[in-house]
Amino acid sequence: MNLREFSELLGLSPTTVSRALGGYPEVKEETRRKVAEAARTHGYRPNRRAASLATGRAMAIGHVIPTSLNHEMVNPVFADFLAGAGEIYSDANYDLILSVVNDGNEVRAYRQMARAGSVDGIIVHGPRDDDARVALLRETALPFVVHGRVPVAPTDYNFVDVDNRRAFQRATDLLLDLGHRRIALLNGHETMDFARRRRDGYLSAMVARGLPDCAELRFDGEMSEQNGYRTACGMLAQQDAPTAFLVSSMIMAIGVRRAIHDAGLVMGQDVSVVTHDDMLSYLGNGDDVPIFTATRSSVRAAGRRCAEILLDRISRPSQDPVQEVWESDLILGASTGPAPRSRT
C-alpha cells in the first residue's frame, strides 16, 4: 500500500497523513491517533521519499564522527546509544545517517549537510573542552542535541548528560569508606568533557579526606581493554601499589581484572575495582550478583532521549532548550571490599 492509497482509505490528504506520522504539531491529536492506529492495523510503513516530498523534510538525522574517534565505531557504548536513538527514529519514519570524516573536516561536513538539506537535525557526540560545534550548528540553523555537555557560552542548547562529577565522587567515597587510600583513576581522554568531570569528582573526594593527588595513580587515554591491562600491570608493580581502581569504562575494567589475576591477586579481596557504564546490551555485568561495583546509567536510554528531544525540536523549533543531567545509580558488586592490611 502506498501513501496515496493509504490516504484515500482514511479520507485524508497525503500531506496530512505524512505530517501526522512525522509528528508535526499542527496536526490535531485526534487525527494523529487515527492515522497511527490505521497504520498499525493495515501494516502501513510510509515510503521515506514520499514522506520527504510531502513534508519538505529530509526525514534523516545526522551523526558525524571524526576519524580520531574511529574506535567509537566498534565501542559497545556508542552502539547502544545508536540502538536507542534508532528505535525513536524508526517509529517516526526517520533514517540515521552516519558520516565518518577526517579530523578537522567536521565543520565542512555540517555545512554540507545544511546546504544540501540531507538531514533535519544532528546529534553531537563526544563534546570536548575546545569544542566549536555548538557555535557552528547555530550558524547553520540545524536543530541539534548534544550527548554530554560542551563547556562554552552561551549554554542555551539541548543536551542530555550524566552527572559524571557526582558519580565519580560517590564512587571514590565508597572506596575511601572501605579504607582504601591508594586509589587509582583510569580515565578517558581528559580533553573530553565527561572525563574532566569524572577526574574532578575523584579529586574532590580525595582532597576532602586530606589525601594528595598522586600523578602516578592517574591515567587518561583511550578506554580500551589493552590500556586497562597495561596500566594496571604497571601500577600494581609499584612498591606502594594501589589497593583500588576507579575505571571510566567497562571495557577498560575488564583489562584491569585481567591484570589483577596475572599479578596473582584476587579482585574484591586484594584489589577493589569500581567501573562506569556497565549497563550494555552485549557486555553484561553478571546476573544476580554484579561482577563489578559500578556507577550505572543506561546509554541506550540516553540515545532514545536525545532522539526524542531532537525530533521534537525539528517539529517545534521555537521551544526553550531541554537540558537534562541524569544521576547514576551506584550498584554494589563482587569487585569491592575492605582495603587489605597487607599484601604478600
Side-chain angles (χ1 to χ4, degrees):
M1 182 183 299
N2 60 33
L3 176 61
R4 181 183 56 79
E5 292 167 339
F6 184 60
S7 301
E8 289 175 353
L9 179 69
L10 293 172
L12 298 170
S13 72
T15 300
T16 298
V17 170
S18 291
R19 288 178 178 272
L21 292 173
Y24 275 70
E26 61 267 26
V27 179
K28 293 180 180 178
E29 186 58 34
E30 180 183 351
T31 302
R32 196 189 328 275
R33 282 199 301 268
K34 175 183 175 181
V35 172
E37 289 171 5
R40 284 192 294 269
T41 300
H42 297 281
Y44 174 71
R45 296 288 295 175
N47 178 282
R48 285 184 170 84
R49 179 172 174 79
S52 178
L53 290 172
T55 62
R57 292 181 182 169
M59 303 305 294
I61 302 299
H63 295 252
V64 178
I65 308 297
T67 51
S68 62
L69 296 180
N70 261 348
H71 60 278
E72 295 284 354
M73 305 295 291
V74 293
N75 188 327
V77 176
F78 183 67
D80 260 24
F81 181 93
L82 287 184
E87 293 172 14
I88 304 303
Y89 299 155
S90 178
D91 288 344
N93 196 36
Y94 269 79
D95 279 326
L96 184 158
I97 295 179
L98 187 60
S99 179
V100 180
V101 301
N102 292 328
D103 291 342
N105 283 353
E106 287 175 272
V107 171
R108 183 188 303 172
Y110 288 132
R111 292 195 188 282
Q112 285 178 343
M113 285 179 171
R115 278 198 301 267
S118 57
V119 299
D120 298 313
I122 294 284
I123 299 286
V124 176
H125 297 277
R128 304 178 291 270
D129 283 349
D130 58 349
D131 212 309
R133 287 175 292 179
V134 168
L136 168 66
L137 286 166
R138 283 198 180 101
E139 287 179 24
T140 66
L142 275 173
F144 67 95
V145 176
V146 179
H147 181 212
R149 279 176 280 179
V150 180
V152 297
T155 58
D156 56 338
Y157 59 89
N158 302 293
F159 68 76
V160 175
D161 196 12
V162 172
D163 193 340
N164 287 290
R165 190 181 194 280
R166 176 168 163 76
F168 272 53
Q169 183 175 0
R170 290 176 64 205
T172 307
D173 279 333
L174 170 67
L175 293 169
L176 291 166
D177 290 343
L178 288 169
H180 296 279
R181 293 298 179 266
R182 295 282 290 174
I183 302 172
L185 173 67
L186 274 57
N187 204 1
H189 289 286
E190 290 181 2
T191 55
M192 310 292 283
D193 182 77
F194 79 86
R196 178 178 52 79
R197 292 178 190 273
R198 291 177 186 180
R199 178 203 64 202
D200 291 349
Y202 158 83
L203 289 176
S204 66
M206 297 291 280
V207 169
R209 304 289 181 105
L211 296 171
D213 174 17
C214 299
E216 72 274 13
L217 293 182
R218 287 204 283 122
F219 167 87
D220 72 286
E222 185 174 336
M223 296 184 293
S224 65
E225 194 274 347
Q226 294 91 338
N227 275 344
Y229 175 74
R230 292 167 186 159
T231 303
C233 282
M235 290 182 175
L236 289 171
Q238 295 175 10
Q239 184 174 2
D240 192 7
T243 62
F245 288 85
L246 178 55
V247 189
S248 264
S249 153
M250 179 76 161
I251 299 168
M252 186 180 271
I254 292 171
V256 174
R257 182 187 186 190
R258 181 160 65 100
I260 292 170
H261 178 270
D262 285 0
L265 303 170
V266 178
M267 185 174 74
Q269 295 181 23
D270 301 308
V271 182
S272 289
V273 179
V274 180
T275 187
H276 185 70
D277 278 340
D278 76 322
M279 201 172 175
L280 302 175
S281 300
Y282 294 98
L283 191 61
N285 187 17
D287 296 318
D288 295 334
V289 178
I291 298 167
F292 290 101
T293 295
T295 53
R296 173 179 292 177
S297 182
S298 171
V299 71
R300 194 182 189 106
R304 286 195 292 266
R305 186 61 184 136
C306 284
E308 288 171 350
I309 294 169
L310 183 55
L311 293 184
D312 182 67
R313 286 303 170 267
I314 290 169
S315 296
R316 302 188 301 164
S318 61
Q319 296 298 305
D320 291 336
V322 175
Q323 300 181 332
E324 297 182 0
V325 180
W326 295 2
E327 287 284 348
S328 292
D329 295 325
L330 183 57
I331 307 299
L332 295 180
S335 67
T336 48
R341 292 185 178 182
S342 63
R343 185 177 293 156
T344 304

